[in-house]
Amino acid sequence: MTDVPAVLRAHAEQEHADELAALAAADDRPRPPNWRLSPWAVATYVLGGQTQDGTEISPKYLGSRRLVEVAVATLATDRALLLLGVPGTAKTWLAEHLAAAISGDSTQLVQGTSGTAEEAIRYGWNYARLLAEGPSRGALVASPVLRAMERGGIARIEELTRIPSDVQDALITVLSEKSLPIPELDDEVQARAGFNVIATANDRDRGVNELSAALKRRFNVVVLPLPEDIESEVEIVRLRVGQLGAALQLPAELKAVEEIRRVVTVFRELRDGVTADGRTKLKSPSGTLSTAEAISVLTSGIALAAHFGDGVVRAADVAAGLHGAVVKDPVADRLVWREYLEAVVRERSPWQDLYRACRELV
């Protein structure tokens, strides 16, 4: 029996504690109040680089350096940050690492859903103590946002546009006045220096619960795009699949970059509605076919090869994942996938193994 890690996935500040410590030790640039690192060091932690003593800093986000610099600079001001993009563009991933590098704590998190209540952003009450003692600070249950205000840290709000509009607006006073009134106690909590908010939202969710104009004004928006070219996307998938495989202790490796390239090519062509050479127009499925889904398909393929194969990832190992990623609508998407297999995959002679494996599932 091999040793099992204590947790399946450590928080960013735990997993990369050595890198954060090395950056902090070598960082001689000005730091905003209560920041663990300077803005330059935060960007280096996110994008990768090297400290003065030669410590290698692994890249956490592969994308535009300027976008990351704008995001970090925003958090150094009194403006909150909204990371916007289609699903799978690493919004949550980037938000977590920014919070870890800036405040050393990425856990002050509100997960936005249609059922998120105002207490998740403001505060709630321990009703047993409330009945026994009456309203008091001891009976108050602080939200992640309130805890971040008290500590001068970063609060994260995931899927902001999924939260009901009246609950979203509880943020307005927090972001504009940097305080949270507690009328039941005739008191308030004033944010310490260093406090800020990172929110994420999907482009496709804009019609769900549109942000009010008052709330929009209090955010700087950074739009995270999909990878510009196939080489960038292949590299992102390769790095993340390797990290996930190691974390899950899968006894197999995806050594062939070509297998990654094949999955990424399928995703990009269906996403763009045209083949890579521009010769064939394609129908796009209902799903987003994001980079995150490509990572999931290949990680699943590694698991199949490790536990039910010989440890070598082949077309049959990724076929089921591809089918599941593309065919979200059992009727419309199945037709799109079948047409793509017949018109594109079948015609590529090096892809005959993938065609056969996928055709069996269709």
Side-chain angles (χ1 to χ4, degrees):
M1 294 290 290
T2 56
D3 293 334
V4 179
V7 295
L8 186 61
R9 180 184 179 277
H11 297 302
E13 60 272 20
Q14 298 167 339
E15 185 175 354
H16 301 284
D18 293 343
E19 292 184 8
L20 290 168
L23 279 167
D27 187 13
D28 57 359
R29 298 181 182 230
R31 305 181 189 184
N34 272 344
W35 279 39
R36 300 292 184 91
L37 300 172
S38 67
W40 176 87
V42 171
T44 301
Y45 166 76
V46 171
L47 295 165
Q50 193 177 63
T51 63
Q52 294 177 352
D53 63 2
T55 302
E56 288 292 334
I57 307 300
S58 62
K60 318 302 181 302
Y61 174 75
L62 299 178
S64 167
R65 181 175 190 88
R66 196 57 177 171
L67 284 181
V68 173
E69 290 174 345
V70 169
V72 175
T74 294
L75 294 170
T77 70
D78 64 346
R79 300 275 288 181
L81 173 65
L82 176 61
L83 299 176
L84 189 66
V86 299
T89 47
K91 300 182 296 296
T92 297
W93 183 255
L94 179 57
E96 178 185 358
H97 283 286
L98 286 172
I102 291 171
S103 60
D105 183 5
S106 63
T107 65
Q108 303 307 317
L109 171 66
V110 176
Q111 179 59 59
T113 69
S114 59
T116 299
E118 192 171 307
E119 289 80 2
I121 292 176
R122 300 178 73 244
Y123 54 84
W125 296 97
N126 180 328
Y127 287 102
R129 295 191 64 174
L130 185 64
L131 291 172
E133 305 170 5
S136 67
R137 286 304 294 263
L140 185 144
V141 179
S143 70
V145 175
L146 182 54
R147 289 195 295 269
M149 293 176 69
E150 292 176 324
R151 300 171 187 175
I154 300 292
R156 296 165 52 207
I157 302 178
E158 290 295 313
E159 304 291 358
L160 179 60
T161 51
R162 291 190 182 275
I163 299 175
S165 299
D166 56 333
V167 178
Q168 291 176 10
D169 287 344
L171 281 169
I172 292 177
T173 301
V174 171
L175 297 181
S176 60
E177 304 296 329
K178 307 303 179 188
S179 65
L180 182 59
I182 309 176
E184 297 89 341
L185 304 180
D186 192 24
D187 197 1
E188 68 174 0
V189 172
Q190 292 183 299
R192 292 187 60 198
F195 166 73
N196 216 324
V197 172
I198 305 175
T200 67
N202 292 332
D203 279 350
R204 294 197 175 190
D205 284 347
R206 282 182 293 180
V208 177
N209 291 302
E210 187 71 27
L211 300 183
S212 67
L215 189 55
K216 284 181 181 177
R217 288 196 301 270
R218 286 155 176 83
F219 280 102
N220 273 356
V221 178
V222 171
V223 179
L224 299 185
L226 289 164
E228 291 183 5
D229 55 68
I230 189 169
E231 298 303 329
S232 299
E233 192 161 2
V234 167
E235 181 61 13
I236 292 169
V237 174
R238 186 189 67 79
L239 286 173
R240 286 295 295 138
V241 168
Q243 292 168 352
L244 285 170
L248 296 171
Q249 297 186 350
L250 294 174
E253 293 184 12
L254 189 63
K255 295 182 179 178
V257 175
E258 282 310 307
E259 199 64 57
I260 300 176
R261 186 182 300 276
R262 214 157 48 163
V263 172
V264 171
T265 299
V266 171
F267 273 41
R268 291 180 71 88
E269 289 182 333
L270 285 172
R271 200 164 63 209
D272 296 341
V274 64
T275 53
D277 58 13
R279 295 180 180 178
T280 307
K281 295 290 185 181
L282 304 168
K283 295 177 182 176
S284 294
S286 60
T288 57
L289 296 180
S290 65
T291 307
E293 288 177 290
I295 293 167
S296 177
V297 167
L298 287 159
T299 304
S300 176
I302 290 178
L304 283 170
H307 299 301
F308 301 103
D310 59 3
V312 178
V313 179
R314 294 183 170 85
D317 299 314
V318 300
L322 275 173
H323 185 275
V326 175
V327 183
K328 295 291 195 298
D329 183 322
V331 179
D333 290 346
R334 186 182 294 273
L335 293 175
V336 170
W337 182 225
R338 182 177 292 161
E339 287 182 12
Y340 179 77
L341 290 176
E342 298 299 332
V344 179
V345 178
R346 185 180 183 182
E347 300 303 316
R348 291 174 176 165
S349 54
W351 286 27
Q352 291 308 299
D353 56 340
L354 182 63
Y355 171 76
R356 288 190 295 271
C358 293
R359 196 71 181 86
E360 288 179 7
L361 295 170
V362 172

